[in-house]
Amino acid sequence: MKFRVQDAATAASGDPAQVQGLPWANNRFVYQFSESLSRNPVKTAAFISACHELLQSTALRCVDRAQVPDDRDYVRVVEQGGNFSFVGRQGGEQLLSISSWNNRFKIMHEIKHALGWQHEHQQPRRDEYVEVLFDNIPEAYRQHFYINSNANEGEYDFDSIMHFYPTDLAVTGKKSLQARAGFEAFQDRMGQRSRLSDIDVEEIRAYYGEPGVAWCGINKKPEKAPADGCEWLCQQADDPAMSDWVMQPMCASERH
């Protein structure tokens, strides 16, 4: 079961189950600000700057939907009383809410959710590194600690901006996460939002590609050159349901 991800301060609202999203296609992560946010240059600049910093060494670009108005899939950046995002590309408009405008790493955290990443402590390797103290976590919040692999995770990273703080969503005075033996030195590093770790960027780059690599979803541009006068383009099937993108040749004779 996949959930829209809300971070610890706002997770209590009880999100409905959601479909796990797809990767972003055409080398672009497309965003659009809500009408109220579009009138706030400080907040819009904070989001754009955080997005570019997160993706600067990857194949993805942060693109305002005004530049690609025909793109069906995009995040609508809103301010709805907390930090939350769907995980991955959902198809059509999807919400991404920011309340922590003064911390660019918290903004990056939500963008990385939208790119397809769960929280770090939900990745398959986590039980080797941390123990989830379920007895200290109210039942309503336990869904935020279940393993949820998206097959895009790198090495386990205590320093990731995607890691929970050790007491997130635990009952008052208790811990929800405990570093296992041999990793005690990392206990107080969990949950930091003051820097990007190397792995935070490396796993995006590994999944989406290096700058200049053409992608359709997670399918690399074919190495074989198309016929003379043709080029590879990302195209999406005429399917009202969410579908992945495919590479297809487009030739001069077919262009309008």
Side-chain angles (χ1 to χ4, degrees), residues 73-201:
D73 304 337
Y74 62 96
V75 295
R76 182 170 175 81
V77 185
V78 297
E79 192 171 28
Q80 292 191 356
N83 299 312
F84 64 78
S85 173
F86 289 91
V87 177
R89 175 168 60 90
Q90 299 291 310
E93 178 184 287
Q94 63 190 76
L95 296 183
L96 186 157
S97 177
I98 300 295
S99 62
S100 303
W101 294 102
N102 62 342
N103 187 319
R104 71 184 190 275
F105 299 104
K106 291 184 178 181
I107 298 174
M108 290 182 206
H109 176 108
E110 300 308 330
I111 293 172
K112 195 167 178 183
H113 277 317
L115 295 178
W117 273 264
Q118 300 276 358
H119 287 122
E120 188 70 12
H121 67 273
Q122 293 180 278
Q123 70 142 285
R125 301 174 184 85
R126 71 102 185 274
D127 288 334
E128 302 173 35
Y129 300 89
V130 298
E131 179 184 5
V132 178
L133 305 175
F134 281 105
D135 288 345
N136 296 341
I137 303 168
E139 187 172 353
Y141 300 160
R142 291 178 185 176
Q143 66 190 33
H144 299 283
F145 294 85
Y146 298 155
I147 288 176
N148 246 333
S149 176
N150 295 343
N152 57 10
E153 301 93 351
E155 293 299 316
Y156 196 82
D157 184 13
F158 285 98
D159 276 336
S160 174
I161 59 169
M162 306 308 292
H163 210 300
F164 260 21
Y165 191 73
T167 58
D168 279 346
L169 300 182
V171 297
T172 303
K174 300 288 187 178
K175 293 177 182 176
S176 53
L177 296 170
Q178 178 66 53
R180 289 196 179 276
F183 299 100
E184 295 92 344
F186 295 97
Q187 181 70 27
D188 294 333
R189 290 164 64 173
M190 290 187 277
Q192 67 82 17
R193 299 292 183 269
S194 60
R195 63 191 178 278
L196 272 176
S197 75
D198 290 341
I199 296 175
D200 278 325
V201 176

Side-chain angles (χ1 to χ4, degrees), residues 34 37 119 133 190 197 199 203 209 211 227 233 244 254:
S34 67
L37 278 178
H119 287 122
L133 305 175
M190 290 187 277
S197 75
I199 296 175
E203 61 189 7
L233 295 177
D244 211 346
E254 300 172 288

